[in-house]
Amino acid sequence: MKHIKTINMGALKNSIAKPGCKECANSCQSACKTSCTVANLECENR
Amino acid sequence: MKLHKFKQMEMNIVIDVNSGAIHVVDDIVYDVLDYYKFKNLDEIVSDFKNRYTEEQIKEAYDEIKQLEEEGLLYTYDPYKNIVLNDNGPSYIKAMCLNIAHDCNLKCKYCFASEGDYKGERKLMSPEVGKRAVDFVIENAGPRKNVEIDLFGGEPLMNFKTVKEIVEYARKREKETGKNIRFTITTNATLLNDEIMEFIDENMGNVVLSIDGRKEVNDKIRIRYDGTGTFDDILPKIKTMVEKRKDGKQYYVRGTFTRENLDFYNDVMMLADEGFKEISIEPVVLEDKHPLSLREEDLDTIFEQYDKLAEEIVNRQKQGKGFKFYHFNIDVNGGPCVYKRISGCGAGYEYVAVTPDGDIYPCHQFVGNEEFKLGNVFDGLSNYELIKTFKNGHIYNKPKCMECWARFYCSGGCQANNYSFNKDIHIPYELGCQMMKKRVECAIAIKAKLMEE
């Protein structure tokens, strides 16, 4: 494409194929404790 | 809202909200997107005839159309039913253990009321701590990974209990096949060789509190006699961090307030001290508190985030990169959609436990009796409230459903929502504004680094 460069091919939609194991960390367990950010957690089932 | 577009670091970035696709586009596409869904090609060509040629607009239009057909623009939300139909059990697998409702500092912004959570100053006994370990193992069901955060107040005021809990958990880990990850959050004042050795060996993550520059830290993070802590804690934090080898995690973590809206300088001070994992977070306080952040501070805060994003890119390119917690978004990975639509987990996957063993939805609710969920000795009792928290996801938060960032923040902090709006379903607006800015910065950083 000449006008658009896609840097993410819909990883969110594609992750629907994952099992949804819920083994990942809870956001407040890392550093935040005051502000919920979920997108910066790491997947335990890559 | 299906698309979100913004300009940062001389890039035009477009996010397709529901698929998570991210595109960097030129000015023509950026402009055409404003009308693509409302006007036909001829009308758009006519609207922009003074700016772009017909051929340029046609090309841009066709590329947008192609991405739409490929499911990378203007997609629908296919996830709603997953969460609404999830009637299965939930498992408590993460726990914040308030090892001490006491602190040797009196930081001016402390949400825990200088450590005592508005109650009696108290330390957790090893018995309560061990029972809490059993409680979380019993309630984790099939989850293998269990997380325990040793928190306070200042948990190192009760190091004896910390040690006993860890020792007990290691034994229970072997018996049950669980993988227990510990985190400790400390103000660093009580770190000594023995404690640092212990932390390094046993903690998956250590969160070390410091607010940045000496003049900033020492105005807020003070002892009972009013003196600042900077000169005491910085060398200890450095020694602790030096021990964290082989990818062992740590965070040097501070808070910014109205007193240091130029917090970029605090992040940089910490980066220049050699720390690689840094978090400086906005204080959350009611409006009338002199240190609180307010609507009128947002422009300054946004400028600081922009500046920080640019500097992170520069340093990364020079091989001197560092991680800023809130910008750590892996655009091509990160948690799956099941996690992103289920919220922070407070109250049904994550709980906090007081020195008496009382259970609350998270550390921020501790001390508010209405939110007590049970006790580690007697088990859970308030199932209605647990259900409310489980259902406190984005699909039950009307404001989140209008927001492009919902799959990044997952509905915000329930405790902040409650303290500002008396309802976990209504987002804390100032927090939302800053969250959205940080997500934009995080995506822009990734886009910029991929571009070069």
Side-chain angles (χ1 to χ4, degrees):
Chain A
M1 285 194 173
K2 202 166 145 193
H3 303 268
I4 303 177
K5 195 168 122 197
T6 296
I7 62 167
N8 176 303
M9 299 294 285
L12 181 64
K13 189 179 61 187
N14 300 335
S15 76
I16 207 163
K18 288 192 175 188
C21 65
K22 304 263 181 87
E23 287 286 359
C24 51
N26 278 79
S27 49
C28 263
Q29 293 297 92
S30 38
C32 76
K33 290 284 178 199
T34 53
S35 52
C36 180
T37 315
V38 170
N40 61 2
L41 298 174
E42 281 179 27
C43 177
E44 295 280 343
N45 200 332
R46 276 184 254 203
Chain B
M1 185 184 272
K2 288 187 180 165
L3 290 191
H4 175 63
K5 61 191 191 88
F6 63 101
K7 288 176 185 277
Q8 191 151 3
M9 292 190 245
E10 289 115 41
M11 294 176 297
N12 302 320
I13 298 176
V14 178
I15 301 171
D16 182 57
V17 174
N18 293 314
S19 71
I22 301 168
H23 314 278
V24 178
V25 306
D26 66 7
D27 289 339
I28 311 168
V29 169
Y30 199 77
D31 287 337
V32 170
L33 280 170
D34 286 336
Y35 302 96
Y36 179 80
K37 280 284 170 190
F38 313 106
K39 294 188 174 184
N40 65 34
L41 179 58
D42 292 341
E43 288 169 315
I44 298 172
V45 167
S46 152
D47 284 352
F48 287 109
K49 66 176 179 231
N50 296 329
R51 219 181 299 171
Y52 309 119
T53 66
E54 183 176 346
E55 194 193 343
Q56 284 175 319
I57 295 171
K58 202 170 170 311
E59 276 172 4
Y61 188 93
D62 287 343
E63 288 188 16
I64 295 170
K65 192 157 178 264
Q66 189 186 332
L67 289 181
E68 186 184 13
E69 283 163 5
E70 288 172 5
L72 294 169
L73 276 178
Y74 298 107
T75 55
Y76 287 91
D77 179 345
Y79 320 119
K80 189 175 176 179
N81 287 334
I82 298 174
V83 61
L84 295 182
N85 295 336
D86 176 13
N87 298 316
S90 50
Y91 300 102
I92 293 171
K93 38 79 83 173
M95 180 180 261
C96 180
L97 272 188
N98 286 1
I99 299 293
H101 274 193
D102 198 359
C103 191
N104 55 344
L105 300 184
K106 47 183 284 181
C107 305
K108 291 179 184 165
Y109 46 48
C110 186
F111 78 94
S113 174
E114 292 152 22
D116 62 13
Y117 288 82
K118 297 186 180 133
E120 204 185 326
R121 294 196 173 266
K122 210 166 197 180
L123 301 180
M124 180 178 280
S125 68
E127 290 65 41
V128 171
K130 289 177 195 174
R131 179 59 214 142
V133 170
D134 284 334
F135 174 87
V136 71
I137 289 172
E138 286 158 16
N139 284 275
R143 304 282 179 264
K144 186 173 166 54
N145 294 327
V146 170
E147 302 150 63
I148 299 180
D149 189 7
L150 306 167
F151 198 63
E154 173 48 46
L156 294 180
M157 288 178 82
N158 192 8
F159 186 52
K160 181 179 176 291
T161 294
V162 167
K163 278 203 297 196
E164 287 198 38
I165 288 172
V166 171
E167 194 185 326
Y168 182 70
R170 293 294 173 239
K171 183 173 116 209
R172 296 290 289 136
E173 220 173 14
K174 287 198 190 93
E175 290 164 4
T176 58
K178 300 285 185 202
N179 173 31
I180 302 180
R181 291 178 194 166
F182 281 101
T183 297
I184 194 163
T185 300
T186 175
N187 64 29
T189 55
L190 300 173
L191 291 174
N192 59 30
D193 289 345
E194 183 206 347
I195 293 177
M196 285 196 251
E197 206 52 54
F198 177 86
I199 288 177
D200 185 47
E201 201 168 303
N202 291 287
M203 299 294 131
N205 187 8
V206 49
V207 181
L208 301 148
S209 302
I210 183 170
D211 281 352
R213 292 164 292 173
K214 179 178 163 74
E215 62 271 27
V216 171
N217 185 83
D218 284 358
K219 222 184 233 182
I220 312 276
R221 301 192 64 80
I222 52 171
R223 298 187 189 84
Y224 275 76
D225 64 7
T227 57
T229 51
F230 183 89
D231 291 335
D232 177 30
I233 61 176
L234 183 64
K236 290 175 177 169
I237 293 176
K238 279 187 166 177
T239 311
M240 183 73 250
V241 167
E242 277 159 19
K243 285 188 189 291
R244 302 298 276 172
K245 300 224 160 59
D246 311 322
K248 282 190 197 166
Q249 210 184 9
Y250 68 87
Y251 261 98
V252 174
R253 184 216 185 278
T255 300
F256 72 86
T257 73
R258 206 151 210 265
E259 294 275 329
N260 62 319
L261 291 176
D262 60 343
F263 61 91
Y264 165 84
N265 295 315
D266 295 294
V267 178
M268 284 309 143
M269 175 255 146
L270 294 170
D272 291 339
E273 287 291 343
F275 300 123
K276 297 288 180 201
E277 296 174 35
I278 301 168
S279 182
I280 293 282
E281 311 203 8
V283 76
V284 183
L285 288 168
E286 53 184 1
D287 284 350
K288 64 181 184 204
H289 194 293
L291 295 175
S292 69
L293 301 173
R294 298 163 216 176
E295 188 78 33
E296 72 242 41
D297 302 326
L298 284 177
D299 286 346
T300 312
I301 293 170
F302 291 175
E303 278 167 24
Q304 297 287 299
Y305 280 133
D306 283 338
K307 210 167 139 186
L308 185 55
E310 280 175 38
E311 186 56 18
I312 285 175
V313 169
N314 288 338
R315 292 201 176 199
Q316 182 76 31
K317 282 196 254 172
Q318 295 161 9
K320 297 190 298 183
F322 64 90
K323 284 194 215 164
F324 180 69
Y325 179 70
H326 276 135
F327 289 172
N328 282 353
I329 292 180
D330 173 2
V331 294
N332 288 312
C336 64
V337 68
Y338 303 93
K339 178 72 177 182
R340 292 178 193 235
I341 57 183
S342 57
C344 72
Y348 70 99
E349 277 184 351
Y350 168 71
V351 295
V353 174
T354 70
D356 289 324
D358 289 337
I359 302 168
Y360 288 89
C362 82
H363 54 289
Q364 300 263 1
F365 286 103
V366 164
N368 185 341
E369 280 294 303
E370 282 176 67
F371 283 92
K372 195 172 144 182
L373 299 176
N375 185 285
V376 293
F377 292 98
D378 310 321
L380 296 165
S381 50
N382 197 342
Y383 288 99
E384 212 39 54
L385 193 56
I386 293 169
K387 205 166 136 195
T388 303
F389 274 88
K390 190 178 178 194
N391 290 329
H393 49 68
I394 51 172
Y395 296 100
N396 285 326
K397 293 179 177 175
K399 274 199 168 166
C400 296
M401 291 313 291
E402 293 165 9
C403 174
W404 65 266
R406 61 183 177 272
F407 297 121
Y408 294 93
C409 95
S410 202
C413 166
Q414 311 285 37
N416 290 348
N417 296 354
Y418 182 79
S419 56
F420 282 84
N421 301 311
K422 292 285 163 273
D423 184 345
I424 64 167
H425 304 93
I426 304 175
Y428 158 50
E429 180 58 30
L430 202 68
C432 292
Q433 303 265 11
M434 289 185 279
M435 169 73 68
K436 286 189 270 189
K437 181 67 194 175
R438 292 191 301 255
V439 173
E440 287 184 350
C441 289
I443 290 172
I445 290 170
K446 293 286 152 57
K448 195 78 190 167
L449 290 171
M450 285 165 90
E451 195 179 58
E452 287 168 18

